[in-house]
Amino acid sequence: MKNVTDSFVFLGHWPSAGSFGFNTDILATNPINLSVVLGVLIFFGKGVCASCLLSLSDLLDNRKQKILNTIRNSEELRGGAVEQLEKAQARLWKVEMEADQFRVNGYSEIEREKLNLINSTYRILEQLENYKNETILFEQQRAINQVRQQVFQQALQGALGTLNSCLNNELHLRTISAGMFGVMKEITD
């Protein structure tokens, strides 16, 4: 006990420490704190049994192993997470490339379909124009034929009317006979 007291007295007379009290200078207080802790451990540590020290050592070793296992597991998990991240980034890059390809293909497909639709519409319009022109031509021909028939009928009726008014029965019979004679003559020839 005298050694502990002497160490405190010695520290009290240390010229750089000044007087006994709180010293806020960290560099000056570390040696003081260490000497106090070591003194207390030496004084009270003499009665500690060896089995307690072994138990403490085992406890510290177990704690050290747990910490090392936790660090090892954390490293393995980190490695797995990094590997999964790399796989996910590769999949993301692949999906982005496919999306870009689909986008490009989609735009080109849209343009191709647009051109096909425009061309198809032009062909249909051209066919409709041809049908219209054919219908107009057909209707014109039909109208011309109707007019010809009407003109021919009117001319025939006018000729018959003129013949009927100009011809008497005798002249009429002679014309018919001459017509028949001409037909008979052609047959015999």
Side-chain angles (χ1 to χ4, degrees), residues 47-150:
V48 176
C49 64
S51 64
C52 293
L53 289 177
L54 287 175
S55 173
L56 181 62
S57 175
D58 288 343
L59 183 65
L60 290 175
D61 285 342
N62 287 341
R63 182 69 179 146
K64 179 181 174 183
Q65 286 302 319
K66 284 182 183 178
I67 291 171
L68 289 175
N69 287 339
T70 303
I71 291 172
R72 195 175 307 117
N73 289 340
S74 297
E75 285 295 320
E76 289 174 3
L77 290 175
R78 187 191 67 79
V82 167
E83 185 178 322
Q84 287 179 350
L85 177 63
E86 289 171 353
K87 286 179 182 178
Q89 286 175 338
R91 281 194 311 254
L92 176 65
W93 181 78
K94 182 180 177 184
V95 167
E96 285 177 347
M97 293 299 290
E98 288 176 357
D100 288 342
Q101 187 66 31
F102 283 135
R103 192 176 302 115
V104 168
N105 289 344
Y107 289 144
S108 63
E109 184 68 25
I110 288 171
E111 286 298 317
R112 191 171 29 254
E113 287 297 322
K114 185 171 105 177
L115 289 174
N116 287 342
L117 182 62
I118 290 171
N119 291 336
S120 173
T121 304
Y122 279 135
R123 282 194 298 271
I124 290 171
L125 288 174
E126 190 175 290
Q127 287 175 346
L128 289 174
E129 185 69 24
N130 289 339
Y131 291 150
K132 179 188 83 168
N133 290 338
E134 288 175 6
T135 303
I136 289 172
L137 187 62
F138 175 76
E139 290 298 324
Q140 283 177 344
Q141 290 296 327
R142 198 173 100 193
I144 289 171
N145 287 337
Q146 284 179 349
V147 169
R148 282 183 184 164
Q149 284 179 354
Q150 287 177 356

Side-chain angles (χ1 to χ4, degrees), residues 159-171:
L160 281 175
T162 303
L163 278 175
N164 284 337
S165 66
C166 294
L167 291 179
N168 56 20
N169 281 339
E170 185 184 323
L171 192 55

